[in-house]
Amino acid sequence: MAATIAPPPASVPQLHDIATAPSAARIEADIRTLVGFGTRHTLSETESDTRGIGAARRWIKAEFERISRDCGGCLEVMVVSDTVSGEERIPDPVEVVSVIAIQRGGSDPDRYVVMSGDIDSRVSDVMDYTSDSPGANDNASGIAGTLEAARVLSKYRFNGSIVYAALAGEEQGLFGGRILAEYAKVHGWRIEALLNNDMIGNIEGVNGVIDNTTARVFSEGTRVNETVEEARKRRFTGGEVDSPSRNLARYIDRMADRYVPNLDVMMVYRLDRFGRGGHHRPFNDIGAPAVRVMETNENYNRQHQDLRTEDGIVYGDTIDGVDFGYGAKLTALNAVSLAGMAWAPPPPADVEIEGAVSPDTTLRWMRPPASQAPDLAGYRIHWRLTTEPQWSRSIYVGDITEYKLENVVIDNYFFGVSAVGKNGAESPVVFPGAAGSFGGYAVTP
């Protein structure tokens, strides 16, 4: 049939509730507690109950356990750790300990969406582990948001699993992320998305701009582990701006537009800020869809600074530089995105496209085992001009695995497919071929 531009899918009522649930007061309380540990440097005190990273991670673990008790034991709380040594920023052996809480999905528990924040903090000298390092925004805000998302989402049940991760060792070399990414590989996690929250509480930029209505989402283009053959095919079929991470960013942008009042997402087509890094990168390194979610206007006077005043400028990452309402808003963005994906069927697998020297474009994909997607309603075909940042045209085609877009020329557009649940929840869009694949489905006996 000839393609028409279909109206957007109906909103999911529960996602509107989730979008308004995060509490600025609870986020403030959590940030104040984390700041109260004095320093959370990776090399800092681990035995004290009141100071250092050991006290901080034990408090985070206790919070996850309390949240789990409130939801009848719905979270599996654990630590994921390894000993690191011989590194420039960790020369002597140090146990890098991250705390995670897993909310298992019902029908598709091996499919994971992850929200993360960083436990550790630092001052000007990255090796100074004794000076006070409040780390209020960088990154107590990300940890507080992750805890609050767990409080909100643990009241619901999902098809896929959600992981809430407090990662350690970020400032010393992204070690917590590396360790958890390796753990995920060893344990066969099918990671649909990782949302790394690194600084989600500052609204006043070093450039003087004050803005609490936008957020940035950084996403890489082509996968870093793309093979030579995959790169050769991509040269002729496209996909440079349609990696799963890039389409995850588009998904988050759509969720902001639909569910989070007074928030606009700026999609940044870059792995991270210029020449800098974050804990999503280790997950990109293993080929997983992963993005960085953060404030739009950074204040470098409040990042990685000794507490001091020089030439009338106050330096240091203290709590007075955090806007708790903004942190709640970005937490809501994470929560609706995680919930939307965990409620939706898994993204389509093995998406293929053909239509060269033809007036029509045909897409094919694979349906998951019924046990993994009992609430699957069908699929939506998307397309856009090659210069458009967001999917602008779509048509719902039902529960089929092949569709021909008549009189839509393959040369003029980029195409993709998303899965739609009976409740209206929708997966991210999957671009055809290896360049856009979110991975396959779990193998069933």
Side-chain angles (χ1 to χ4, degrees), residues 86-101:
E87 300 286 344
E88 180 179 358
R89 295 186 177 185
I90 306 183
D92 300 318
V94 170
E95 188 179 20
V96 176
V97 181
S98 298
V99 184
I100 68 170

Side-chain angles (χ1 to χ4, degrees), residues 209-228:
V209 173
I210 298 177
D211 173 18
N212 68 350
T213 64
T214 64
R216 290 183 292 179
V217 176
F218 288 83
S219 60
E220 71 168 357
T222 55
R223 276 192 175 99
V224 68
N225 61 352
E226 180 183 59
T227 68
V228 172

Side-chain angles (χ1 to χ4, degrees), residues 329-389:
K329 187 184 295 187
L330 266 61
T331 298
L333 175 64
N334 280 266
V336 296
S337 300
L338 295 167
M341 288 183 282
W343 264 325
D350 298 330
V351 179
E352 300 177 351
I353 190 169
E354 64 179 35
V357 296
S358 166
D360 309 322
T361 298
T362 300
L363 291 114
R364 301 183 184 87
W365 55 93
M366 181 179 174
R367 196 185 191 284
S371 60
Q372 289 179 39
D375 299 323
L376 174 68
Y379 294 90
R380 182 175 287 267
I381 304 294
H382 303 257
W383 66 105
R384 70 181 199 273
L385 293 172
T386 62
T387 54
E388 287 184 296

Side-chain angles (χ1 to χ4, degrees), residues 288-360:
V291 298
R292 181 189 185 116
V293 180
M294 70 175 302
E295 63 208 25
T296 302
N297 298 286
E298 294 181 68
N299 193 323
Y300 309 121
N301 296 336
R302 297 172 179 164
Q303 292 178 18
H304 303 175
Q305 296 286 347
D306 292 338
L307 303 177
R308 68 195 192 281
T309 300
E310 290 181 358
D311 299 325
I313 300 174
V314 178
Y315 293 89
D317 189 0
T318 54
I319 199 159
D320 54 305
V322 179
D323 185 289
F324 308 112
Y326 180 70
K329 187 184 295 187
L330 266 61
T331 298
L333 175 64
N334 280 266
V336 296
S337 300
L338 295 167
M341 288 183 282
W343 264 325
D350 298 330
V351 179
E352 300 177 351
I353 190 169
E354 64 179 35
V357 296
S358 166
D360 309 322

